[in-house]
Amino acid sequence: MKLYSNIKGKCALSAILVAAIFNLSIGQSFLKDEFKSHFLIGTAVNTATVTGQDAKATKIVKEHFNSITAENDMKWIHIHPELNTYNFKQADQFVEFGLKNNMFIIGHALIWHHQMDNKAFFDNDKKLLSRDAMLTRMRDHIFTVMGRYKGKVHGWDVVNEALADDGSLKKTKWLETIGDDFICKAFEYAQEADPNAELYYNDYSLEFPAKRDAVVRLVKKLQAKKIRIDAVGIQGHWGLDFPNKEELDAFIDSIAALGVKVMITEMDVDLLPRSFEYMGADISVNAELQKELNPFVSGLPDSMQYKLADRYAELFSQLITHKEKISRVTIWGVYDKISWLNYWPIQGRTNYPLLFDRNYQPKPAFDAVIKTARIKK
Ligand code: XIL
């Protein structure tokens, strides 16, 4: 494996940090040990990983991570596929794996407009439900799912992606049926369902001022109503050139000033070209596959490998600077082959956004992250 120390002067890091990274050799290192004094370090997992079917992925997760998030298995469509039917099989396996390995377990996500059958918003006559009827459905869902894992799942993404880029509430069926206090209601129910679990609001693009200000207003609103919120998760689906440092700093500081923690909940770094200007993570976005948007099908050139490593080092260096305000950083996936960025926002690409490659090997980005954790201790 090529070490990060092969990089020659093409990074955006300060000269001092680069020099320090060059001089370190990492040996056998595990992320969770290196980040012990910084924050929890997590990953998103799927069924094959938690059941041991993808044994090499299982090994990576056990060795390197002390927190796990279910990439899909706790989303409404999977755990609550029909009105009166719950399917807990995969979610149970996920929770069991986390408990067995002493991990901080994250439930993702209770209330979201995606990966949910729209039927849930209608009655048998296909009429949109009233506010009260929808509140009952919301409460039942939250109580059933959180109730089952009470005392086992440590933190929940109570509401996911409710804010639009301009800071308004997204025009979803949640908003349409319940009204603009649907977020407050979800947190109220969650707090009742498991008073000891941490409760989070989670979203992407929160580093942009309009959305940052909106989430600050949201947290203040919850606090004014004495409804508990413990942390705000910024997803962190980032690129080689965004977000910029100032905006990310400003986001972290604004949230911490409210007395709640910041978490990076779904971090990955997309290095493939984009066909349009979009820095969000809305899963309904879909673009057409063109050859020039998929340039690294047969492997990643060293130059790109090191750009990715530099970017990871830069981001982690910034995050560690704020470690008192950050409780967790979760990487969205275990190894490149199973990252969602191979199929979003364009189906069928070969992407390289994570710390372990398609053969389960640590990448230069992994070394860079380890070294950054050590320098910044
Ligand atoms: C993604 C999963 O990674 C994919 O496997 C799935 O097909 C779509 O959802 N924001 C979120 C995550 O909150 O739940 C999404 O996960 C990525 C964007």
Side-chain angles (χ1 to χ4, degrees):
M1 184 184 63
K2 278 201 186 78
L3 278 181
Y4 186 62
S5 48
N6 290 343
I7 311 167
K8 287 205 184 72
K10 48 175 125 39
C11 72
L13 291 173
S14 76
I16 297 170
L17 183 54
V18 173
I21 287 174
F22 279 165
N23 292 330
L24 277 172
S25 137
I26 66 161
Q28 171 89 330
S29 310
F30 301 110
L31 290 167
K32 65 181 178 200
D33 301 334
E34 304 296 336
F35 280 90
K36 211 192 252 137
S37 62
H38 301 330
F39 31 69
L40 290 171
I41 187 96
T43 186
V45 291
N46 61 24
T47 305
T49 298
V50 299
T51 56
Q53 204 185 318
D54 189 353
K56 290 182 179 165
T58 314
K59 182 166 183 277
I60 291 176
V61 176
K62 284 187 187 172
E63 284 180 349
H64 289 281
F65 297 99
N66 49 23
S67 174
I68 50 169
T69 304
E71 184 175 1
N72 287 298
D73 293 335
M74 287 181 151
K75 291 173 181 172
W76 193 300
I77 200 141
H78 295 287
I79 208 165
H80 192 175
E82 300 286 338
L83 189 52
N84 294 312
T85 311
Y86 284 87
N87 163 27
F88 291 118
K89 186 164 176 233
Q90 283 83 9
D92 283 358
Q93 289 170 330
F94 160 77
V95 172
E96 208 178 295
F97 175 83
L99 290 174
K100 215 154 88 202
N101 293 290
N102 279 322
M103 291 165 168
F104 193 91
I105 303 172
I106 309 297
H108 171 79
L110 292 166
I111 301 300
W112 190 24
H113 53 286
H114 283 315
Q115 293 186 273
M116 174 185 183
D117 192 339
N118 250 11
K119 273 198 301 213
F121 295 99
F122 294 88
D123 65 15
N124 287 339
D125 303 324
K126 302 199 167 113
K127 239 183 81 206
L128 196 65
L129 290 187
S130 67
R131 167 179 164 87
D132 283 351
M134 198 60 218
L135 280 173
T136 305
R137 270 191 199 175
M138 176 194 259
R139 189 177 188 281
D140 283 350
H141 179 82
I142 291 178
F143 268 69
T144 307
V145 177
M146 282 185 84
R148 185 174 182 92
Y149 302 112
K150 197 170 175 170
K152 297 179 175 170
V153 167
H154 306 100
W156 288 92
D157 290 332
V158 179
V159 177
N160 196 30
E161 302 181 356
L163 296 170
D165 287 351
D166 65 1
S168 64
L169 287 173
K170 271 192 188 141
K171 308 278 174 279
T172 65
K173 286 270 174 287
W174 285 113
L175 179 65
E176 194 181 337
T177 49
I178 296 178
D180 61 11
D181 64 342
F182 83 89
I183 303 177
C184 294
K185 284 291 174 191
F187 275 84
E188 243 176 73
Y189 297 149
Q191 175 177 304
E192 231 187 292
D194 185 353
N196 294 318
E198 291 188 357
L199 309 179
Y200 315 133
Y201 176 77
N202 192 53
D203 212 330
Y204 57 84
S205 295
L206 293 177
E207 58 274 35
F208 299 127
K211 226 164 153 175
R212 176 195 69 214
D213 294 348
V215 80
V216 166
R217 284 194 300 274
L218 172 65
V219 173
K220 284 186 174 162
K221 189 168 163 188
L222 288 164
Q223 290 174 331
K225 291 177 178 243
K226 306 262 180 288
I227 301 171
R228 186 162 55 82
I229 172 165
D230 298 291
V232 173
I234 183 171
Q235 291 182 359
H237 295 294
W238 288 329
L240 291 174
D241 55 4
F242 70 93
N244 78 41
K245 183 176 179 308
E246 290 68 32
E247 284 174 345
L248 183 55
D249 279 340
F251 164 74
I252 295 171
D253 289 335
S254 320
I255 298 302
L258 302 167
V260 301
K261 288 284 185 193
V262 171
M263 306 172 311
I264 319 301
T265 53
E266 305 184 11
M267 185 176 181
D268 45 28
V269 176
D270 186 352
L271 48 66
L272 293 184
R274 303 207 156 200
S275 55
F276 52 95
E277 278 280 314
Y278 180 65
M279 285 177 274
D282 188 326
I283 67 165
S284 63
V285 171
N286 190 355
E288 219 175 290
L289 178 62
Q290 297 156 27
K291 222 168 158 212
E292 58 274 23
L293 300 177
N294 192 21
F296 308 122
V297 180
S298 50
L300 196 62
D302 280 358
S303 59
M304 288 306 291
Q305 195 73 264
Y306 296 130
K307 257 190 198 159
L308 182 76
D310 290 349
R311 184 61 176 143
Y312 262 106
E314 185 175 57
L315 285 165
F316 269 96
S317 163
Q318 185 179 358
L319 296 175
I320 293 168
T321 311
H322 289 285
K323 66 181 182 181
E324 310 304 332
K325 305 163 209 163
I326 295 178
S327 55
R328 170 172 58 96
V329 175
T330 291
I331 313 277
W332 202 242
V334 182
Y335 62 115
D336 283 342
K337 194 174 165 191
I338 58 172
S339 161
W340 77 304
L341 293 177
N342 294 301
Y343 49 91
W344 182 91
I346 300 175
Q347 285 282 344
R349 295 197 298 174
T350 307
N351 212 333
Y352 302 83
L354 302 173
L355 300 180
F356 291 85
D357 70 16
R358 288 183 150 60
N359 296 314
Y360 307 90
Q361 296 306 306
K363 293 158 61 174
F366 171 88
D367 295 359
V369 168
I370 294 275
K371 290 172 182 176
T372 306
R374 286 185 190 167
I375 293 164
K376 287 276 176 174
K377 264 195 186 129

